[in-house]
Amino acid sequence: MKYRDLVREIALGEYGFITTKQALDVGVPAVELRKLAGRGALINVAYGIYRVPDAPASPFDQFAEALLRAGEGAYLRGDSVLALFGLADVNPPKIRVVAPKRTRAKMPAYIEVRAPPLGQPPSLTRYEGLLAMRVADAILDCRGRIEPSRLREAARDARKEGLVTRVEHSKLQRELRRAGPNSAAWSAS
């Protein structure tokens, strides 16, 4: 199989993106990615991140790019998780990402990268192949930034869509009824 075909096959399974590390893992040297980009078969998005130019568009493309730019182990947080599923009628101006390692790369204006919050780390899972906080944790993370009525609605919709369990939904109802400060607010991390 040609390098171009191999790279394309991997990228199409990753929202059109491929990293230098992914390419190396399947035996494609980094120099070949640069050559493919020079010939127009790939677009160099950022250092070590490439995109297939004719990859089909998806509503998750920017989320995937944000996670790749933030680095290994990065995950979506709070209203960005809700935006994945159209919960709470949110349209955040920035994709909020938590990166366990310091990220030195300059980010586009639509990406906000933070260090992990203090305390117990949230439960993580993959939605549509994207690493993220669990929906229940994301709803609670948005307290103090999104109206409580919209969060209760998000919890109800998440339950209907099977994004939270019955137990998680009961906990969400209790927690959202309680008045209190936003746990792990963005300003704290």
Side-chain angles (χ1 to χ4, degrees), residues 139 149 151-161 164 169:
I139 291 170
S149 62
L151 291 177
R152 285 191 293 275
E153 182 182 315
R156 185 184 68 241
D157 292 347
R159 178 66 191 128
K160 282 181 189 173
E161 294 177 30
V164 297
H169 185 253

Side-chain angles (χ1 to χ4, degrees), residues 15 17 19 49 60-77 80 84 95-100 103 107 110-113 125-133:
Y15 299 101
F17 296 99
T19 65
I49 304 170
F60 305 115
D61 292 352
Q62 283 191 322
F63 295 103
E65 182 181 339
L67 291 173
L68 288 172
R69 284 177 177 266
E72 194 172 332
Y75 62 90
L76 298 173
R77 180 178 179 186
S80 292
L84 274 176
I95 296 174
R96 299 183 203 284
V97 177
V98 174
T103 305
M107 295 290 164
Y110 70 90
I111 300 173
E112 179 179 309
V113 179
T125 190
R126 289 195 180 274
Y127 296 116
E128 303 295 333
L130 305 170
L131 191 60
M133 296 175 89

Side-chain angles (χ1 to χ4, degrees), residues 3-11 18 28 33 36 42 52:
Y3 288 145
R4 180 183 186 147
D5 296 333
L6 187 56
V7 164
R8 181 175 173 73
E9 184 178 317
I10 293 167
I18 185 163
V28 178
L33 293 177
L36 288 169
L42 292 176
V52 174

